[in-house]
Amino acid sequence: MNTSRTIFISLLLLVLYGFFGALAISYQNFQSNACPHLFSIPVCYVVLAAYSLMLMSLLVPYKGCKHHFFSIGWGVAFIIALLASIAEFFSAGAVCPTAQAGMRGGSDLSVVIPTCYISLALLVVILGLFIKGPYKKICNLPS
């Protein structure tokens, strides 16, 4: 298997992991109040839409706007993960949900990792793989 294919498969698997993670938390939010709101919209739905854009950009064969869709989805997810991670770090209470239990309560704070930390790390790796793989491939195409 060549390097380009390995990078693409790794990228696809990481985006799928983020997508299904956001989907699980969105489903928890649908059943109860599992994620914080931005105005009146649950943030987990926005993150799910962002990961959906990244996933669609990888799966849709049309090459014209792939990097634009990916960049928009990645940018939205990254800004939310960064701001939520900062808020989680400096806040006394729980800001970010967890994949296992939704919003955390008092004694659970040290047991689980907030999803905003996981998403932030995941998005940094995803960007690196996207730049080394699909973006480099698109940039090398003749205009």
Side-chain angles (χ1 to χ4, degrees):
M1 192 179 315
N2 63 11
T3 307
S4 175
R5 187 93 172 134
T6 304
I7 289 173
F8 180 78
I9 290 171
S10 301
L11 177 63
L12 184 61
L13 289 174
L14 289 175
V15 171
L16 281 168
Y17 178 78
F19 174 80
F20 284 113
L23 185 64
I25 293 173
S26 295
Y27 180 71
Q28 286 177 1
N29 187 69
F30 188 70
Q31 292 180 328
S32 64
N33 197 13
C35 56
H37 288 67
L38 180 65
F39 303 108
S40 63
I41 301 170
V43 174
C44 51
Y45 296 165
V46 177
V47 172
L48 180 62
Y51 274 105
S52 297
L53 275 175
M54 287 187 280
L55 186 60
M56 284 188 328
S57 77
L58 294 174
L59 297 178
V60 173
Y62 178 68
K63 300 206 184 311
C65 295
K66 287 179 83 125
H67 61 284
H68 296 298
F69 288 126
F70 185 90
S71 298
I72 291 168
W74 185 88
V76 168
F78 181 78
I79 289 170
I80 289 171
L82 180 64
L83 294 177
S85 295
I86 291 169
E88 178 77 25
F89 186 75
F90 290 109
S91 160
V95 174
C96 301
T98 63
Q100 296 84 11
M103 290 303 285
R104 296 178 312 279
S107 64
D108 293 343
L109 287 175
S110 63
V111 177
V112 292
I113 299 172
T115 54
C116 52
Y117 294 162
I118 296 168
S119 187
L120 185 61
L122 184 67
L123 287 163
V124 169
V125 174
I126 285 172
L127 180 64
L129 288 172
F130 183 75
I131 289 172
K132 288 181 87 90
Y135 186 74
K136 185 177 179 181
K137 187 176 178 181
I138 289 171
C139 289
N140 290 336
L141 291 175
S143 298

